[in-house]
Amino acid sequence: MSDASYPGLFICFEGIDGSGKTTQAQLVVERLCTLGYDAVYTTEPTKWSEPGKKLRESFFAPIRLPVDDEFRLFLEDRILHLKSEVIPLLNAGKIVVTDRYYFSSVAYQGARGLDWQYILEENEKIAIVPHLAIFLDLPVSVAIDRIASERTEGVNTFEKEESLRKVKDIYLLLADKFPKLITKLDASKEISEIQQNVLRLIIQLWQNSSKVDN
Ligand code: TYD
């Protein structure tokens, strides 16, 4: 896996559905920009690439894509995301905040039955290691309640709960395996409290990597 040895800083947010990572990722980018840092929000799957669009369409299809096809599409989308967004932004010295990255593939496609170590290895061939992965850790039952209250259409809670449990177990396994890379934050706290922690982590990292000349 290539090292993120670019002038910028690369952060990703991870977590089960309903953990609040999109809210936190977008908020921290806003906050960083207000404070004078050059931060950009990106997301996976991308909204613009062909594999990203196929994946997003597939989320609403009555039948799910076979897991191998899904995995390949996420990988193709990731390669394009890195090439067209992340790497140019990092080369321009920006703080790139990505909403989901390869740990999502390991956790989600792993939960669907694909060997998680294989997923990790395949990603390690194409992906840059981020400087930090922030894992928003939330009890599955709380996530299910949040998802159900946010959606107008019905959620199959039993099915969802079972799959999110598997996803979360893999995330926890990854957090154990990569304690320096993955920081777990308690996502059941208030949005503002989590946000303060997130902001502190990123600013500390930026300062420690002596990317500041101001
Ligand atoms: P996302 O747009 O982040 O949805 P949400 O904000 O509700 O979490 O992600 C959409 C779905 O894509 C999410 O359920 C997780 C899944 N996903 C994978 O299964 N594998 C991956 O590699 C990625 C990046 C996402």
Side-chain angles (χ1 to χ4, degrees):
M1 195 186 289
S2 24
D3 180 33
S5 51
Y6 298 90
L9 192 70
F10 188 21
I11 312 288
C12 66
F13 275 79
E14 293 287 352
I16 59 173
D17 303 275
S19 60
K21 54 175 189 42
T22 303
T23 305
Q24 291 295 342
Q26 289 180 339
L27 262 179
V28 84
V29 167
E30 261 173 48
R31 219 40 236 295
L32 285 165
C33 290
T34 308
L35 292 170
Y37 295 90
D38 210 348
V40 182
Y41 170 87
T42 73
T43 185
E44 285 193 11
T46 67
K47 294 185 174 145
W48 49 267
S49 84
E50 279 314 309
K53 284 191 225 163
K54 270 192 206 155
L55 281 163
R56 288 188 179 273
E57 274 165 29
S58 80
F59 298 152
F60 303 101
I63 300 170
R64 238 159 128 196
L65 285 173
V67 66
D68 290 292
D69 297 356
E70 197 178 75
F71 169 61
R72 286 291 146 198
L73 284 171
F74 275 116
L75 216 52
E76 283 170 32
D77 181 50
R78 185 154 302 128
I79 291 169
L80 295 168
H81 175 221
L82 284 165
K83 184 166 168 259
S84 305
E85 291 188 287
V86 179
I87 292 173
L89 290 167
L90 290 176
N91 272 331
K94 299 190 194 283
I95 301 178
V96 181
V97 176
T98 293
D99 190 346
R100 295 201 181 280
Y101 193 39
Y102 63 86
F103 305 103
S104 284
S105 286
V106 180
Y108 279 82
Q109 278 62 62
R112 287 193 68 192
L114 213 59
D115 177 41
W116 70 265
Q117 278 168 328
Y118 165 75
I119 305 174
L120 186 60
E121 280 162 24
E122 289 300 289
N123 272 282
E124 284 173 345
K125 291 179 191 164
I126 60 106
I128 298 170
V129 183
H131 292 94
L132 175 70
I134 298 175
F135 169 52
L136 294 180
D137 188 12
L138 190 72
V140 171
S141 56
V142 179
I144 294 284
D145 288 348
R146 282 191 193 172
I147 296 166
S149 68
E150 278 163 18
R151 303 219 173 134
T152 42
E153 81 273 28
V155 178
N156 181 341
T157 44
F158 286 118
E159 205 180 296
K160 189 82 188 167
E161 188 158 349
E162 202 188 308
S163 77
L164 284 189
R165 261 184 220 296
K166 289 188 195 155
V167 172
K168 179 167 172 172
D169 285 348
I170 301 177
Y171 269 132
L172 291 175
L173 216 131
L174 286 170
D176 272 352
K177 189 173 161 72
F178 301 108
K180 285 198 187 131
L181 176 58
I182 302 178
T183 294
K184 252 194 296 182
L185 290 184
D186 180 354
S188 57
K189 297 224 167 92
E190 289 292 320
I191 292 182
S192 58
E193 194 181 340
I194 303 169
Q195 182 59 204
Q196 270 180 1
N197 288 329
V198 164
L199 188 66
R200 191 161 27 88
L201 277 172
I202 298 180
I203 291 178
Q204 251 170 24
L205 215 83
W206 180 261
Q207 287 170 347
N208 290 346
S209 55
S210 53
K211 290 170 193 300
V212 265
D213 37 43
N214 48 337

